[in-house]
Amino acid sequence: DSVIMYQFIFFILYFLIIVLSLVSVSNYASSIKTNLPTLHDENLAIETVYTGLRFPTNMAFLGPDYILVLEKNEGTVQRLVNGAIFSNPLLDVDVSPIEERGMLGIAIENNKSESQSPIVFLYYTRPENQSVPDGRIAASNNVYRFELVDNKLVNPKILFHLPIQTQGQHNGGVILIGPDKN
């Protein structure tokens, strides 16, 4: 009797695992079909603001309808204002787009004073003019500080320069300004 009972319990557990697996696969397949993000907070909503960017990696808000968007492989900082993109990027620099390299991180320090321009920090991978033993393109990870003046990023100042070793993968990209303004 105990053997039959264990077999029955095993059968029920096995059946539940199969059913749960099928439900998970079905949910996963439906999310792939829609290709939309999934929200887990009912107080939030997804709204498409703009389509047509090439490999956007990061964004920062200058205002409710003013967004700076990075394009990884293009090395550009695009301005998106009221759902429209400007014909010329705010900045266009030479980046090393191999693998996880490129235009990767942005942070904005909005000054409280009207007379001061916002400060924009960018993190990107630049190609270097040197050869490396494995034949890859040499590059460096860099953090720059710019001032946003008259819809132009001006007065670039390099804050961080880190040459990449020959394999140079997993470059990161997220940068933030802390409460201490660093």
Side-chain angles (χ1 to χ4, degrees):
D1 284 337
S2 64
V3 171
I4 293 173
M5 187 167 155
Y6 284 122
Q7 287 176 338
F8 179 73
I9 292 172
F10 177 76
F11 173 77
I12 295 296
L13 289 175
Y14 184 72
F15 178 76
L16 287 174
I17 290 171
I18 289 175
V19 168
L20 290 174
S21 297
L22 290 174
V23 167
S24 295
V25 167
S26 173
N27 288 342
Y28 177 73
S30 68
S31 71
I32 288 175
K33 282 185 218 175
T34 61
N35 201 22
L36 293 175
T38 303
L39 286 176
H40 299 284
D41 184 341
E42 62 189 40
N43 297 315
L44 300 175
I46 297 171
E47 178 183 340
T48 301
V49 177
Y50 184 82
T51 60
L53 292 167
R54 285 173 266 170
F55 210 141
T57 54
N58 211 325
M59 64 183 168
F61 291 83
L62 279 167
D65 295 313
Y66 191 168
I67 309 168
L68 300 184
V69 183
L70 306 183
E71 290 183 298
K72 176 191 171 300
N73 296 336
E74 306 299 317
T76 57
V77 179
Q78 299 287 354
R79 291 174 292 162
L80 186 60
V81 180
N82 295 321
I85 199 160
F86 284 69
S87 58
N88 294 322
L90 198 58
L91 183 71
D92 187 351
V93 295
D94 190 21
V95 295
S96 175
I98 298 169
E99 296 167 348
E100 298 167 1
R101 301 175 185 179
M103 182 65 77
L104 302 172
I106 186 170
I108 297 175
E109 180 183 335
N110 279 321
N111 297 310
K112 302 297 181 204
S113 167
E114 296 265 339
S115 64
Q116 290 182 312
S117 302
I119 304 299
V120 178
F121 297 90
L122 294 174
Y123 169 63
Y124 59 92
T125 309
R126 279 190 351 207
E128 296 285 324
N129 293 327
Q130 63 187 30
S131 60
V132 291
D134 68 357
R136 292 177 184 242
I137 297 171
S140 61
N141 288 318
N142 301 272
V143 175
Y144 279 89
R145 176 191 183 275
F146 293 87
E147 293 175 44
L148 181 59
V149 179
D150 297 325
N151 286 318
K152 294 179 185 162
L153 288 176
V154 297
N155 303 324
K157 179 180 177 187
I158 189 158
L159 301 178
F160 180 76
H161 173 82
L162 178 66
I164 298 174
Q165 300 303 316
T166 58
Q167 294 301 313
Q169 297 174 358
H170 311 299
N171 293 285
V174 175
I175 57 175
L176 298 171
I177 298 171
D180 61 353
K181 302 293 184 195
N182 290 315

